[in-house]
Amino acid sequence: MGGQVSASNSFSRLRCRNANEDWMSALCPRLWDVPLHHLSIPGSHDTMTYCLNKKSPISHEESRLLQLLNKAFPCITRPVVLKWSVTQALDVTEQLDAGVRYLDLRIAHMLEGSEKNLHFVHMVYTTALVEDTLTEISEWLEQHPREVVILACRNFEGLSEDLHEYLVACIKNIFGDMLCPRGEVPTLRQLWSRGQQVIVSYEDESSLGRHHELWPGVPYWWGNRVKTEALIRYLETMKSCGRPGGLFVAGINLTENLQYVLAHPSESLEKMTLPNLPRLSAWVREQRPGPGSRCTNIIAGDFIGADSFVSDVIALNQKLLWC
């Protein structure tokens, strides 16, 4: 599988996981009364792509040209697509251990799949099943009762209304009383007092109308840029327009385009991303959480174990104590 961070990062990554495993409960008590949308929260972009492999089918929503190339030259097409689909090297438990508290879950139903088996998707379908992954997250939360996660359920490729109802039923059954019903964005102290650890953002309007446990989709500032400086300019432009009123994400993930892929046939999303992480991390360290119009909230990135990204995002919360 692609997307592996270098061995030189393994020890520092392990230390990062241990240090940040329970970072929310370790915050200064003054921050326990700050609403989640005013805190600085690390997230992972396309959380589930670590489990893609060469046998993973290409999404039916990809271009007709890509579908034809896959049928004609699968031994060439699939490895290339895979190189540009993998955005994470750590599995979901490792991401949670590392301190990630926003998970970007792109959910899909494969046409050739069984009736109720839901997968994740990013150009290709994952091997992991949604129900198994949600159970893994729930089990992690049981071991970390004062940590809170935001699950952004989106994409919903191939989901009928019945499959939406099935997915929501799975969410309710797996998380139960851990779910925080929608309303005003809570503080950590409020969530702890209720035994709630999960906010589910769900980008399907009809499902929102039927289930008060679901929150509207969390806005994601996606720059869709190949170059780091262009992405930073986009994020600064979005900040100048004012932050959304609730939870929102600033994505520091670079995005390839066809021109870039054709010009760099031996590269991958990992090779494009890793050299740019120091500049992106420098931008992260300049941010400030809080209610101000230019403040950030959730910051999500690719290959989150490859540098100090998670610790940098968490450290921004200290700026709230300077006020």
Side-chain angles (χ1 to χ4, degrees):
M1 184 185 77
Q4 297 298 317
V5 296
S6 65
S8 62
N9 289 317
S10 298
F11 180 67
S12 61
R13 191 179 70 186
L14 179 62
R15 289 190 302 169
C16 177
R17 284 209 303 269
N18 291 339
N20 296 330
E21 199 168 347
D22 294 287
W23 70 264
M24 286 181 158
S25 56
L27 287 173
C28 171
R30 283 173 54 193
L31 299 178
W32 298 350
D33 296 309
V34 174
L36 291 184
H37 64 305
H38 294 162
L39 290 177
S40 183
I41 299 172
S44 59
H45 167 251
D46 263 309
T47 299
M48 298 302 298
T49 57
Y50 62 85
C51 59
L52 300 177
N53 61 43
K54 292 179 181 178
K55 295 182 180 179
S56 301
I58 290 178
S59 166
H60 296 293
E61 291 197 350
E62 291 302 315
S63 70
R64 181 174 175 81
L65 174 60
L66 187 57
Q67 302 289 351
L68 291 172
L69 288 172
N70 182 50
K71 287 182 180 180
F73 310 105
C75 294
I76 298 174
T77 305
R78 286 198 180 186
V80 172
V81 171
L82 187 66
K83 289 195 307 179
W84 294 98
S85 300
V86 175
T87 66
Q88 303 297 339
L90 304 185
D91 66 34
V92 70
T93 293
E94 290 173 326
Q95 291 182 41
L96 291 167
D97 284 345
V100 167
R101 296 295 177 265
Y102 166 90
L103 303 178
D104 177 14
L105 306 178
R106 317 284 181 95
I107 297 171
H109 180 256
M110 293 190 295
L111 293 178
E112 61 273 18
S114 64
E115 182 182 359
K116 292 293 177 66
N117 279 353
L118 298 178
H119 298 256
F120 302 96
V121 65
H122 182 225
M123 297 178 69
V124 297
Y125 300 108
T126 65
T127 54
L129 296 176
V130 171
E131 191 169 353
D132 293 343
T133 299
L134 296 178
T135 300
E136 185 177 350
I137 295 167
S138 173
E139 290 172 350
W140 187 91
L141 288 169
E142 288 175 358
Q143 300 299 315
H144 302 269
R146 283 160 68 92
E147 297 301 297
V148 175
V149 298
I150 300 155
L151 306 182
C153 298
R154 40 198 310 224
N155 191 277
F156 299 129
E157 178 189 325
L159 264 68
S160 62
E161 185 172 312
D162 286 345
L163 282 173
H164 275 293
E165 286 301 296
Y166 168 73
L167 174 56
V168 174
C170 287
I171 290 170
K172 290 182 180 180
N173 290 336
I174 290 169
F175 294 111
D177 292 338
M178 288 183 184
L179 292 172
C180 172
R182 68 174 172 267
E184 291 188 8
V185 181
T187 67
L188 287 173
R189 194 188 300 273
Q190 288 169 337
L191 289 166
W192 294 340
S193 69
R194 305 168 194 158
Q196 296 169 347
Q197 294 179 265
V198 183
I199 288 178
V200 177
S201 122
Y202 202 91
E203 294 187 4
D204 180 71
E205 290 296 329
S206 59
S207 297
L208 286 176
R210 293 190 298 268
H211 303 283
H212 75 284
E213 295 90 350
L214 305 178
W215 291 64
V218 174
Y220 193 110
W221 290 353
W222 177 50
N224 192 21
R225 304 294 196 275
V226 172
K227 300 295 185 180
T228 301
E229 292 306 320
L231 174 59
I232 289 173
R233 284 195 300 271
Y234 162 81
L235 293 171
E236 289 298 320
T237 298
M238 295 299 292
K239 285 170 57 181
S240 69
C241 296
R243 56 159 293 159
L247 295 162
F248 76 102
V249 185
I252 63 164
N253 49 290
L254 296 170
T255 306
E256 79 284 358
N257 54 35
L258 181 58
Q259 181 181 2
Y260 186 91
V261 173
L262 293 176
H264 302 81
S266 65
E267 286 200 14
S268 64
L269 185 61
E270 180 187 26
K271 289 180 179 178
M272 184 178 82
T273 298
L274 295 189
N276 291 289
L277 290 181
R279 178 66 186 98
L280 292 168
S281 293
W283 180 86
V284 168
R285 290 190 291 269
E286 294 169 358
Q287 304 314 301
R288 178 182 293 274
S293 63
R294 295 183 60 87
C295 289
T296 53
N297 175 210
I298 302 164
I299 304 178
D302 290 337
F303 304 106
I304 59 93
D307 69 348
S308 61
F309 164 73
V310 174
S311 294
D312 290 342
V313 176
I314 295 169
L316 294 177
N317 289 299
Q318 294 299 313
K319 296 183 181 182
L320 292 169
L321 301 175
W322 302 346
C323 302

